[in-house]
Amino acid sequence: MDQPTYFNNYIILIFILMILHVTYASVYDYQSFLQLPGIGSSIHEQPRKGNIFHVHAYGAIGDGLHDDTEAFRNAWKMACSLSLHSSILIPEGYTYLVHPIDFAGCRSKITLRINGAIIAPKDPHYWRGLNHRKWLYFHSVEHLTLEGGGTINGMGEEWWARSCKINTTIPCHHAPTAITFHKCTGLNVKDISIVNSQQTHMSFTDCLGVIVSNVTLSTPAESPNTDGIHISASTNVEVRDSTINAGDDCVSIVSNSSRVMVTNIVCGPGTHGISIGSLGKWNEWSEVHDVMVDGAYLSNTQNGVRVKTWQGGSGFATKIIFKNVWMENVTNPILVDQYYCDAPDPCQNQTANVNVNDISFVGIKGTSASEEAIRFACSDTIPCQQLYLEDIQLLTYTGVATSFCWNAYGSSSGIVFPPPCFLTTVSLAVQNTLSASHNSI
Ligand SMILES: *[C@@H]1O[C@H](CO)[C@@H](O)[C@H](O)[C@H]1NC(C)=O
Ligand SMILES: *[C@@H]1O[C@H](CO)[C@@H](O)[C@H](O)[C@H]1NC(C)=O
Ligand SMILES: *[C@@H]1O[C@H](CO)[C@@H](O)[C@H](O)[C@H]1NC(C)=O
Ligand SMILES: *[C@@H]1O[C@H](CO)[C@@H](O)[C@H](O)[C@H]1NC(C)=O
Ligand SMILES: *[C@@H]1O[C@H](CO)[C@@H](O)[C@H](O)[C@H]1NC(C)=O
C-alpha cells in the first residue's frame, strides 16, 4: 500500500470537505441553530484612534524577563473605565511575561489585540497562594474580542512534570488553564495561537454567545489533561476553522451546555478527540443538548467522536449530531462510554447514570487503529436510546472492523461499516412508521 498517496488523498479530502463546508455555510444560515447575540458590531467596528491603549504606555517592557503584569492590569483598567469601544494593543516583536492575572468586570466593548507573545512564568511557585486553575482569567465580560495573530505560551513543562499522571508519587492537583473565560456574553476569539498550555488551553464557563475561529492550540501529546477547548455551562457557542494538537480532548463539551456548533476542526496526534463529557462525575446532574459537530479531520488520536459519562451521574445528553468526520488511524473512532472512569481506582457500577439518547453519527469515514471501530457501552440500568448511524465507512489496517454494543438501542440507514449491532436494529423507514406508537414509551 502506498502510504504517501493515502496521506495525500486525505489532505485533498479535507480540503474538499472545507470547500464544501464554506459553500454550505454560505447557503444555510447557522443563526437559526445558534442565535448568537448581537456581537457583530464588536467584530467589525474599528476602534477610533483615541481609544487604543498601548501596553508600553502603561510600563510594559516586553523583553520576556521583566514582569509586565502590572502594565497589562493598568491598561485593562483604563480601557474598561471608558464606555466606548476601546482596544488594548500588545504589539508584535515583543514578549511579555505575565503572571496570573484577572481581567474582570468590564462592561465596555474591548478588543485585546495580541500581536506579540505573552508568556507565563515557568515556575509553578508563582501561583503560591493564588488559584492554581487560572493564568489569564477573564470574567464578567461583555463584547470582548481577542485577536491578532500573536502567541500565548503557558510554559507548561514544569506543570506537566509535576502532574500525578506523569509522576505517580505526587498527589493530584490542578494546573492552570491558559485562558479562562467565566461569565461572559458576546465573546469573539480569533487568529491567536496558544502553545504549551499548563493544562486546558481555553475554557468557557457560564458564557452566552461565543465564536472561536482560526485558533491554533498546540501542546505535546504527552502533556497531561491539556484539553484544547473546554465548554462548560455555556450556550450558543461556535468553534470553527481551528487546529488543535494537545494531550487530551481537542474539544470537550460538558455540564449544562447547549447549542454548541463545532465545524472544520483539525485534531492532531495524541489527542483524545472531540468529546461530550465527561458528564456525571461525583453523582452530578448534567444536561448537554443540541450539539452539532460538522466537519472534522482527526488523525492518530486516541478517540474520535465520543460521549462519556460516569456511573452514578444523572441528567441527559441528547440531540447530538456528529457528521462529516474523517478519521485517520484513530483508536476508538465512534464511542459512547457510560462506564467512563478517569480515576486511579476502578469506579463502582451504580444504578444511576446520565441518560444518553438521540445521538447521530453521519458520514464518519476513514481508518481505525483498533478493530473495534464502533463502541456503544451503555448503562445497565439506563440503556442508550435512539442512537443513529448513517454513511459510516471505517476500515482497519489489520483484519476486519467490528462494532460493540452493550444495552444500545438505535437504528441506521445507508452504508454502515462495520455493521451496527443495536439491540433493535430496524431500518429508518420502519422506525419512522413506528415512531408514532413509540412516542409513548
Ligand atoms: C517524582 O516526584 C518526587 C517527589 O516530588 C521526586 O522526588 C521525583 O524525583 C520525581 N520523579 C521524577 C521521575 O521526576
Ligand atoms: C488566521 O490567523 C493567522 C494568524 O494566526 C492569520 O495570519 C490568518 O490570516 C488568519 N486566517 C484567516 C482566514 O483569517
Ligand atoms: C447543572 O445545572 C443544575 C441545575 O440546573 C445543577 O444542579 C447542576 O449542578 C449543574 N451541573 C453541573 C455539572 O454544573
Ligand atoms: C496507528 O496508531 C498506532 C498507535 O495508536 C501506531 O502504533 C501505528 O503505528 C499507527 N499506524 C499508522 C499506519 O499510522
Ligand atoms: C460494570 O458493569 C459492566 C456491564 O455490566 C461490566 O462489564 C463491568 O465489569 C462492571 N464493572 C464493575 C466494576 O463491576
Side-chain angles (χ1 to χ4, degrees):
M1 193 194 297
D2 189 355
Q3 287 293 349
T5 311
Y6 247 89
F7 181 72
N8 286 340
N9 286 347
Y10 274 113
I11 295 298
I12 291 162
L13 280 167
I14 190 72
F15 276 112
I16 291 169
L17 192 72
M18 285 180 171
I19 291 161
L20 282 175
H21 201 82
V22 168
T23 321
Y24 179 85
S26 57
V27 174
Y28 292 88
D29 188 356
Y30 287 137
Q31 298 299 318
S32 56
F33 185 79
L34 281 168
Q35 289 176 10
L36 295 160
I39 63 175
S41 54
S42 70
I43 299 169
H44 301 296
E45 199 176 286
Q46 288 303 312
R48 283 182 292 124
K49 237 193 168 107
N51 295 336
I52 296 179
F53 297 85
H54 197 297
V55 287
H56 288 203
Y58 294 87
I61 306 287
D63 61 1
L65 302 168
H66 173 269
D67 176 2
D68 288 325
T69 316
E70 203 52 35
F72 274 56
R73 193 174 286 134
N74 289 334
W76 175 264
K77 258 189 214 153
M78 280 308 296
C80 279
S81 68
L82 302 181
S83 56
L84 303 162
H85 183 178
S86 22
S87 284
I88 298 170
L89 181 63
I90 298 156
E92 202 175 343
Y94 297 90
T95 299
Y96 302 92
L97 173 63
V98 176
H99 288 212
I101 182 170
D102 283 13
F103 295 105
C106 190
R107 300 278 160 188
S108 54
K109 288 184 180 176
I110 304 261
T111 298
L112 206 57
R113 214 183 296 154
I114 306 168
N115 294 325
I118 298 175
I119 61 170
K122 273 192 190 133
D123 193 332
H125 89 246
Y126 285 104
W127 272 261
R128 200 166 290 155
L130 301 172
N131 188 328
H132 273 207
R133 290 175 177 236
K134 293 161 189 161
W135 173 34
L136 306 174
Y137 176 46
F138 294 86
H139 74 96
S140 311
V141 286
E142 290 179 9
H143 306 294
L144 173 67
T145 299
L146 261 66
E147 60 178 25
T151 301
I152 292 166
N153 187 339
M155 310 290 278
E157 291 84 352
E158 196 47 47
W159 289 96
W160 309 331
R162 295 183 191 193
S163 160
C164 63
K165 284 190 177 168
I166 301 292
N167 184 337
T168 49
T169 67
I170 300 176
C172 294
H173 54 74
H174 292 286
T177 292
I179 311 185
T180 305
F181 297 97
H182 184 205
K183 293 194 195 302
C184 50
T185 311
L187 193 56
N188 187 15
V189 181
K190 58 180 178 182
D191 306 342
I192 59 172
S193 303
I194 305 178
V195 300
N196 297 330
S197 181
Q198 302 95 326
Q199 194 166 313
T200 300
H201 290 72
M202 222 188 272
S203 83
F204 301 89
T205 306
D206 272 328
C207 287
L208 175 65
V210 175
I211 300 179
V212 177
S213 64
N214 190 35
V215 300
T216 304
L217 313 179
S218 169
T219 293
E222 317 77 61
S223 56
N225 296 334
T226 49
D227 278 349
I229 297 172
H230 188 70
I231 299 162
S232 166
S234 295
T235 299
N236 292 343
V237 180
E238 182 176 356
V239 177
R240 62 173 143 88
D241 308 324
S242 294
T243 302
I244 304 167
N245 297 301
D248 209 303
D249 296 326
C250 280
V251 180
S252 57
I253 301 161
V254 304
S255 63
N256 301 340
S257 292
S258 59
R259 305 170 79 87
V260 179
M261 177 104 198
V262 177
T263 55
N264 290 339
I265 300 298
V266 176
C267 177
T271 58
H272 297 188
I274 298 174
S275 298
I276 309 298
S278 61
L279 306 177
K281 193 177 183 180
W282 299 310
N283 302 348
E284 257 170 1
W285 169 278
S286 189
E287 47 184 82
V288 171
H289 61 93
D290 295 288
V291 176
M292 163 111 79
V293 174
D294 183 0
Y297 171 67
L298 294 97
S299 72
N300 292 286
T301 59
Q302 201 181 82
N303 303 294
V305 290
R306 70 170 161 171
V307 177
K308 47 178 173 171
T309 73
W310 295 72
Q311 291 280 313
S314 59
F316 54 86
T318 187
K319 293 192 208 154
I320 293 163
I321 303 173
F322 297 101
K323 63 195 265 199
N324 301 324
V325 181
W326 285 92
M327 310 266 180
E328 187 181 340
N329 199 33
V330 171
T331 308
N332 305 296
I334 295 179
L335 177 61
V336 172
D337 181 8
Q338 295 216 269
Y339 298 88
Y340 184 72
C341 178
D342 181 22
D345 300 317
C347 302
Q348 289 309 306
N349 281 339
Q350 300 182 39
T351 48
N353 209 315
V354 176
N355 196 326
V356 172
N357 72 71
D358 195 355
I359 318 282
S360 301
F361 302 86
V362 178
I364 317 281
K365 298 176 185 177
T367 53
S368 172
S370 72
E371 290 189 3
E372 194 180 85
I374 300 178
R375 181 176 178 85
F376 295 126
C378 300
S379 155
D380 284 323
T381 43
I382 307 169
C384 302
Q385 309 268 10
Q386 279 182 269
L387 300 176
Y388 178 67
L389 292 166
E390 180 186 325
D391 193 18
I392 310 293
Q393 294 174 47
L394 293 165
L395 305 175
T396 58
Y397 295 92
T398 57
V400 177
T402 58
S403 37
F404 170 88
C405 291
W406 181 262
N407 252 4
Y409 290 81
S411 62
S412 66
S413 83
I415 294 172
V416 174
F417 191 85
C421 51
F422 296 126
L423 277 171
T424 52
T425 306
V426 288
S427 77
L428 188 62
V430 176
Q431 172 101 340
N432 283 342
T433 52
L434 292 177
S435 63
S437 54
H438 279 198
N439 277 344
S440 56
I441 298 175

